[in-house]
């Protein structure tokens, strides 16, 4: 019986190709929109995830904030040492302080920033040296005038095909020697270009650029076998103790966990994706209403045909199944074409916007199933109307 | 198989509408039709002949009375049971041919077999045989728009015959045809009857009714008289 209905449905659709296509246009657009939105959401999430993981994994950032009595107390080297020595599971702790500078070489000048760091910073943030070397113990101890430049700085003020190692570089009025170039560490959205940076020993930057012993923030990397909550607690307790905060007083420092940033961003983008997909899904429902409309028109137009079928012995439920099958087959066609269109759209949009294309089989299957369901839901009413026609009346219909 | 008449109507009444607007189309029709008969039903419009045909075709239910088809009381059957009865035993030919548009003659003739669930190869073969029987074998791939009125009616007859029905019900089968084509169709129906099919036909043209074995005249919702047609001697 289903086979017969399918055969009849295919014949009917073949007879009205153009109308069938227009009928399913709503479903096609709806499915394509949902798939495109979800795929793009996946691409964006993956992209952001990538950026965040460029900060290093299992890393906390600890920085001072204004406390609840308006006090702002910066960190210094003693805080760094305390975290390094008093908390189990910490692999490395690095203080960082930065200042905006103009870098000058050979008459070229370029706006950049200087970051005062030690080798610990390179470890904590997973920064690789592309060319040259890291700081020596003596250089860090003495605050020597040596620097490791970022790839952007290299591109902007050094000649291509010429190694900057050993060259002199002037930052504002401080003269230093380039000892290395670090590999690109990517940039985190909104934070400028992290590759546009010059790394110098911490004590040198404190002495020559910021003029005090303060540390902007600490990067704490920890062993992967420790979990993030335990580590956070340990750091919070230690810092509260060091800063003599009483019970009931709020922390005047904050801890940001890269894993946590990642989760938050993923959740945010996920919510956005669901919302946009839901809006797109409305067009699917509108498509369903379109199917219902055309099916109702079709029932009216084919009243005589229905009369003939009933007269030659079709059961009411067979007529109902035939029209229902037609609606479902139309919707499934629409779903398939929509999936194809969605694939093309999300693929080209991803490459235009510079994201990696991600194929999500789940949403494709789901869209197809939903289209079929829409066929059933919106095809049922016209099908029922067809099956309830009186054969005598239907045969008389002009 | 019952030994009684193929079709038996006893005191059939049919009322349309209710209350003051009610109209009694049939006022107690009694009629028996034997297997192998060729019956022409005549009468002015409003005499109840179409209503009777609809009841005989199991498309409509009488308001009162008893309708036996092959001994089975039809008025007590459900809608689906009546559909199955039509599917198995009845073939319909309509005045307006009622073929599916944009559908080939072969597919039109196949239709009743589709609902019977006949396998494809068998269905094709039976439909082709039926088309050949009405002399339209070479036109199997043509759609109704490409066929003349007489040819369309023959496709309709082929569709009615494809299931080897007990009874062929024809409602004004020549109503839309010129007299030459009409006579051609009537001769064909007479041939079919001679091959054993019981035929019930509604017509208002006496020269068409003349092909039948029995002519039943309706008037004011009752059978007025029954006479023998020329077909009995043909």
């Amino acid at each position: 019986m289903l086979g017969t209905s399918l055969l009849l449905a295919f014949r009917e659709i073949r007879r009205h190709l153009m109308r069938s296509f227009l009928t399913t246009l709503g479903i096609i657009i709806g499915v394509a929109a949902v798939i495109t939105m979800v795929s793009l959401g996946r691409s964006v999430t993956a992209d952001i995830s990538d950026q965040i993981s460029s900060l290093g994994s299992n890393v906390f950032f600890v920085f001072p904030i204004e406390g609840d009595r308006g006090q702002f107390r910066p960190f210094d080297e003693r805080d760094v040492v305390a975290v390094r020595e008093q908390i189990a599971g910490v692999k490395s702790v690095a203080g960082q302080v930065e200042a905006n500078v103009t870098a000058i070489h050979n008459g070229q000048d370029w706006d950049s920033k200087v970051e005062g760091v030690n080798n610990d910073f390179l470890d904590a943030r997973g920064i690789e040296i592309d060319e040259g070397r890291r700081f020596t113990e003596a250089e860090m101890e003495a605050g020597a005038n040596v620097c490791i430049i970022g790839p952007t700085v290299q591109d902007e003020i050094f000649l291509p095909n010429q190694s900057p190692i050993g060259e002199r570089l002037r930052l504002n009025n401080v003269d230093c020697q380039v000892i290395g170039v670090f590999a690109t560490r990517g940039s985190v959205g909104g934070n400028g270009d992290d590759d546009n940076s010059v790394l110098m020993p911490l004590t040198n930057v404190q002495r020559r650029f910021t003029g005090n012993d303060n540390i902007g923030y600490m990067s704490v990397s920890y062993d992967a076998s420790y979990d993030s909550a335990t580590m956070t607690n340990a750091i919070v307790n230690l810092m509260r103790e060091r800063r003599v905060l009483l019970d009931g007083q709020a922390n005047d420092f904050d801890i940001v966990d890269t894993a946590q940033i990642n989760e938050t961003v993923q959740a945010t983008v996920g919510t956005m994706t669901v919302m946009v997909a839901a809006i797109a899904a409305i067009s699917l429902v509108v498509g369903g209403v379109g199917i219902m409309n055309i099916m109702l028109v079709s029932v009216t137009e084919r009243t005589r045909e229905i009369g003939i079928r009933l007269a030659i012995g079709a059961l009411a439920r067979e007529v109902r199944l035939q029209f229902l099958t037609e609606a479902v087959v139309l919707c499934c066609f629409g779903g398939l074409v929509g999936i194809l269109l969605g694939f093309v759209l999300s693929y080209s949009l991803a490459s235009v916007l510079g994201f990696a294309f991600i194929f999500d089989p789940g949403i494709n299957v789901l869209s197809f199933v939903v289209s079929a369901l829409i066929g059933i839901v919106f095809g049922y009413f016209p099908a029922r109307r067809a099956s309830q026609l009186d054969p005598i009346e239907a045969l008389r219909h002009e | 198989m019952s030994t009684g008449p193929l079709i038996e109507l006893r005191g059939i009444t049919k009322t349309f509408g209710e209350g003051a607007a009610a109209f009694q189309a049939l006022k107690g029709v009694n009629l028996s039709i034997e297997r192998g008969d060729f019956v022409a039903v005549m009468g002015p419009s409003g005499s109840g002949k179409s209503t009777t045909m609809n009841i005989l075709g199991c498309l409509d239910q009488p308001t009162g009375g008893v309708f036996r088809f092959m001994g089975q009381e039809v008025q007590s059957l459900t809608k689906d049971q009546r559909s199955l009865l039509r599917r198995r035993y009845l073939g319909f030919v309509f005045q307006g041919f009622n073929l599916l548009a944009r559908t080939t003659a072969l597919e039109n003739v196949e239709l009743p077999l589709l609902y019977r669930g006949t396998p494809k190869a068998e269905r094709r073969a039976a439909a082709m045989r039926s088309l050949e029987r009405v002399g339209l074998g070479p036109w199997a791939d043509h759609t109704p728009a490409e066929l003349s009125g007489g040819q369309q009616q023959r496709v309709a007859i082929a569709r009615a015959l494809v299931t080897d029905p007990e009874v062929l019900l024809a409602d004004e089968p020549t109503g839309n045809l010129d007299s030459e084509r009409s006579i051609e169709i009537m001769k064909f129906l007479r041939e079919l009857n001679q091959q054993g099919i019981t035929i019930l036909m509604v017509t208002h043209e006496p020269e068409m009714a003349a092909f039948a074995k029995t002519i039943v005249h309706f008037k004011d919702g009752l059978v007025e008289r029954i006479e023998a047609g020329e077909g009995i001697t043909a």
Side-chain angles (χ1 to χ4, degrees):
Chain A
M1 190 159 133
L2 190 63
T4 306
S5 304
L6 275 172
L7 178 69
L8 291 172
F10 279 113
R11 277 187 188 173
E12 189 57 36
I13 289 164
R14 198 185 59 205
R15 249 169 243 142
H16 304 278
L17 269 184
M18 191 61 189
R19 188 180 72 186
S20 303
F21 172 73
L22 290 175
T23 307
T24 53
L25 202 53
I27 299 285
I28 293 174
I29 293 172
V31 167
V34 169
I35 289 178
T36 307
M37 288 308 141
V38 171
S39 297
L40 270 188
R42 291 267 187 281
S43 297
V44 170
T45 312
D47 189 68
I48 293 175
S49 228
D50 253 18
Q51 289 184 19
I52 289 170
S53 64
S54 74
L55 290 174
S57 50
N58 300 322
V59 175
F60 289 129
F61 299 108
V62 188
F63 48 91
I65 57 171
E66 197 171 283
D68 52 6
R69 281 178 298 180
Q71 81 278 21
F72 182 86
R73 293 181 293 176
F75 296 150
D76 59 27
E77 188 59 28
R78 284 165 296 175
D79 295 305
V80 174
V81 172
V83 172
R84 182 183 299 140
E85 288 177 354
Q86 294 179 34
I87 296 178
V90 167
K91 278 196 335 202
S92 64
V93 185
Q96 187 260 23
V97 67
E98 65 181 60
N100 292 325
V101 292
T102 303
I104 304 161
H105 171 78
N106 256 352
Q108 298 276 341
D109 61 298
W110 175 249
D111 286 332
S112 184
K113 66 178 178 192
V114 62
E115 290 183 84
V117 298
N118 289 332
N119 282 345
D120 283 336
F121 183 79
L122 305 179
D123 295 333
R125 299 288 290 272
I127 297 170
E128 305 286 338
I129 300 297
D130 222 15
E131 198 185 344
R133 59 171 175 84
R134 292 152 68 112
F135 302 119
T136 62
E137 283 299 323
E139 283 165 351
M140 292 190 290
E141 189 85 22
N145 283 332
V146 291
C147 62
I148 301 171
I149 61 174
T152 305
V153 177
Q154 179 185 16
D155 291 345
E156 291 295 338
I157 59 178
F158 287 94
L159 293 172
N161 314 323
Q162 186 197 327
S163 172
I165 307 298
E167 295 289 318
R168 309 297 297 183
L169 178 69
R170 199 146 62 81
L171 300 172
N172 291 352
N173 50 11
V174 177
D175 195 48
C176 65
Q177 187 183 26
V178 178
I179 58 163
V181 179
F182 64 80
T184 181
R185 47 173 163 155
S187 57
V188 180
N191 206 11
D193 179 6
D194 278 340
D195 289 342
N196 181 17
S197 169
V198 178
L199 308 182
M200 278 180 98
L202 178 63
T203 50
N204 196 6
V205 173
Q206 285 174 331
R207 194 167 62 227
R208 304 284 201 102
F209 293 91
T210 59
N212 55 42
D213 289 343
N214 294 348
I215 275 173
Y217 70 93
M218 290 188 265
S219 301
V220 181
S221 77
Y222 59 94
D223 197 285
S225 59
Y226 286 76
D227 74 284
S228 143
T230 313
M231 294 303 296
T232 311
N233 263 334
I235 296 171
V236 167
N237 290 337
L238 176 67
M239 294 309 291
R240 283 185 71 89
E241 191 185 312
R242 287 183 57 77
R243 294 160 86 83
V244 205
L245 291 170
L246 302 174
D247 286 350
Q249 264 181 279
N251 293 341
D252 57 359
F253 57 91
D254 206 357
I255 299 180
V256 175
D257 179 355
T258 50
Q260 188 193 324
I261 299 176
N262 205 354
E263 261 169 44
T264 311
V265 173
Q266 300 253 10
T268 312
V269 175
T271 310
M272 291 293 290
T273 304
V274 167
M275 202 184 76
V276 176
I279 294 171
I282 291 173
S283 63
L284 255 184
V285 175
V286 174
V289 174
I291 296 263
M292 182 160 75
N293 251 321
I294 298 293
M295 289 308 292
L296 278 174
V297 170
S298 175
V299 168
T300 310
E301 190 187 286
R302 289 155 66 190
T303 300
R304 262 172 97 88
E305 175 199 321
I306 295 162
I308 298 165
R309 293 185 189 280
L310 290 169
I312 64 174
L315 300 178
R317 64 168 181 273
E318 288 170 329
V319 171
R320 190 169 61 220
L321 187 67
Q322 183 197 335
F323 278 83
L324 195 58
T325 309
E326 256 184 66
V328 172
V329 167
L330 273 178
C331 286
C332 289
F333 266 139
L336 284 178
V337 177
I339 285 173
L340 219 66
L341 186 65
F343 177 83
V344 171
L345 273 180
S346 43
Y347 185 85
S348 32
L349 266 177
S351 43
V352 166
L353 298 175
F355 297 122
F357 171 71
I358 291 175
F359 180 75
D360 181 342
I363 191 66
N364 285 280
V365 172
L366 184 70
S367 302
F368 185 75
V369 171
V370 168
S371 332
L373 282 179
I374 280 177
I376 293 173
V377 170
F378 289 98
Y380 183 77
F381 176 63
R384 199 183 62 144
R385 174 177 277 197
S387 70
Q388 285 174 343
L389 286 174
D390 173 41
I392 300 166
E393 291 295 320
L395 280 169
R396 238 180 253 148
H397 189 268
E398 285 306 320
Chain B
M1 278 292 162
S2 92
T3 50
L6 181 64
I7 290 168
E8 193 177 12
L9 298 180
R10 284 283 160 265
I12 291 290
T13 60
K14 178 71 185 179
T15 308
F16 292 107
E18 278 175 19
F23 168 69
Q24 199 172 18
L26 297 181
K27 298 168 181 167
V29 172
N30 296 308
L31 187 63
S32 290
I33 296 166
E34 298 295 332
R35 188 171 271 110
D37 206 347
F38 185 173
V39 180
V41 177
M42 298 194 70
S45 58
S47 61
K49 60 182 193 299
S50 288
T51 307
T52 306
M53 280 299 273
N54 285 339
I55 290 171
L56 289 174
C58 304
L59 292 167
D60 206 353
Q61 286 283 66
T63 311
V66 176
F67 167 26
R68 284 200 193 87
F69 180 81
M70 297 172 78
Q72 167 76 49
E73 292 201 2
V74 177
Q75 75 275 5
S76 59
L77 297 180
T78 65
K79 208 175 153 196
D80 278 358
Q81 286 172 321
R82 281 185 285 131
S83 288
L84 292 174
L85 202 144
R86 286 200 294 276
R87 184 187 292 191
R88 278 186 208 133
Y89 302 113
L90 304 181
F92 286 88
V93 176
F94 308 95
Q95 178 177 6
F97 320 141
N98 280 337
L99 300 175
L100 298 186
R102 279 182 274 194
T103 306
T104 65
L106 190 69
E107 282 180 354
N108 262 295
V109 175
E110 268 185 355
L111 202 58
L113 297 178
L114 264 178
Y115 288 111
R116 286 192 171 189
T118 312
K120 186 175 177 182
E122 202 179 312
R123 200 169 69 211
R124 283 272 137 125
M128 206 57 219
R129 269 201 308 279
S130 196
L131 272 175
E132 277 159 5
R133 199 167 166 192
V134 299
L136 285 179
W139 279 269
D141 291 332
H142 291 240
T143 62
E146 298 162 350
L147 298 170
S148 72
Q151 285 172 325
Q152 288 187 49
Q153 192 58 299
R154 280 193 284 162
V155 173
I157 293 172
R159 182 178 63 192
L161 291 177
V162 76
T163 58
D164 288 322
E166 283 288 328
V167 181
L168 187 70
L169 292 129
D171 190 358
E172 304 260 13
T174 60
N176 285 6
L177 301 175
D178 61 38
S179 54
E180 201 180 326
R181 302 275 162 250
S182 297
I183 288 169
E184 191 186 305
I185 293 289
M186 289 316 300
K187 280 183 177 164
F188 186 68
L189 288 179
R190 190 168 61 191
E191 262 173 53
L192 287 177
N193 177 244
Q194 283 161 358
Q195 289 164 23
I197 295 174
T198 309
I199 298 180
L200 280 175
M201 172 183 78
V202 171
T203 183
H204 61 269
E205 293 169 276
E207 54 271 39
M208 300 305 144
F211 282 87
K213 289 176 180 167
T214 311
I215 304 176
V216 180
H217 291 270
F218 270 73
K219 197 182 180 187
D220 297 329
L222 286 168
V223 175
E224 190 192 31
R225 65 196 159 89
I226 299 176
E227 60 177 344
E230 292 164 20
I232 201 105
T233 56

